[in-house]
Amino acid sequence: DGKVVLIRPKKFLAEDGNYRESRWFTAWRQERTVEEFYLPSIVSQVTRQRTVPIGDAAVALNDTVIAAETCEELFTADSPHINLGLDGVEIFGNGSGSHHTLRKLHRRVDLVRSASRKVGGAYLYANQLGGDGNRLYFDGCSMVAV
């Protein structure tokens, strides 16, 4: 119906190599907490919503529960999918912006397989494709593990 159901902020920021996300962002640290977020007027006009939930949560549908991790979170020791899986989430999505380096694809495949094996369900991973216009290449690697 065109509504925003949840904004799930990053819990872990990329702070190595090419990334210094904490210069611009703050990680969400409130475990299993949701607050109301006031949408910008341009978004409110389209969705006809004034606020939307923001926080560490999942979305329950009629027959499953879905949740998201973002990029760096898959690579951390305390990945959000662990607790989310224990809470009943069955489908995980990860929109990633992970640049290409040699043998990094093997690491991604291992992490996605491991995530699915650990908590069950399906893990959908989609990486950015293209370049940053200067020095980074994003390989567009996408995969689903069940």
Side-chain angles (χ1 to χ4, degrees):
D1 64 3
K3 302 288 185 198
V4 178
V5 294
L6 174 69
I7 297 173
R8 209 314 232 129
K10 290 180 82 170
K11 295 175 70 175
F12 297 94
L13 302 178
E15 291 296 325
D16 58 339
N18 296 298
Y19 306 102
R20 300 285 180 263
E21 291 182 343
S22 64
R23 289 182 300 176
W24 307 105
F25 305 104
T26 301
W28 184 269
R29 295 291 181 212
Q30 297 94 341
E31 294 289 322
R32 294 182 172 103
T33 302
V34 176
E35 299 175 1
E36 285 299 306
F37 178 79
Y38 287 87
L39 292 170
S41 60
I42 193 165
V43 176
S44 292
Q45 291 170 10
V46 173
T47 65
R48 301 194 188 285
Q49 294 170 273
R50 190 167 161 233
T51 63
V52 65
I54 182 173
D56 182 19
V59 177
L61 305 173
N62 289 336
D63 57 357
T64 193
V65 181
I66 62 174
E69 285 189 317
T70 306
C71 197
E72 179 72 14
E73 295 173 337
L74 175 64
F75 294 85
T76 62
D78 189 21
S79 296
H81 70 262
I82 298 167
N83 285 330
L84 289 165
L86 293 171
D87 287 342
V89 173
E90 297 177 316
I91 301 173
F92 302 88
N94 186 325
S96 190
S98 181
H99 68 282
H100 173 78
T101 60
L102 291 176
R103 290 174 288 286
K104 192 172 189 181
L105 177 58
H106 295 295
R107 183 167 180 221
R108 285 190 214 137
V109 169
D110 289 345
L111 286 168
V112 169
R113 282 182 180 161
S114 173
S116 182
R117 248 184 257 124
K118 257 188 287 196
V119 296
Y123 198 103
L124 293 69
Y125 179 90
N127 195 39
Q128 178 178 342
L129 175 63
D132 71 347
N134 190 17
R135 59 194 171 85
L136 296 178
Y137 167 69
F138 301 91
D139 56 26
C141 168
S142 298
M143 63 187 104
V144 175
V146 181

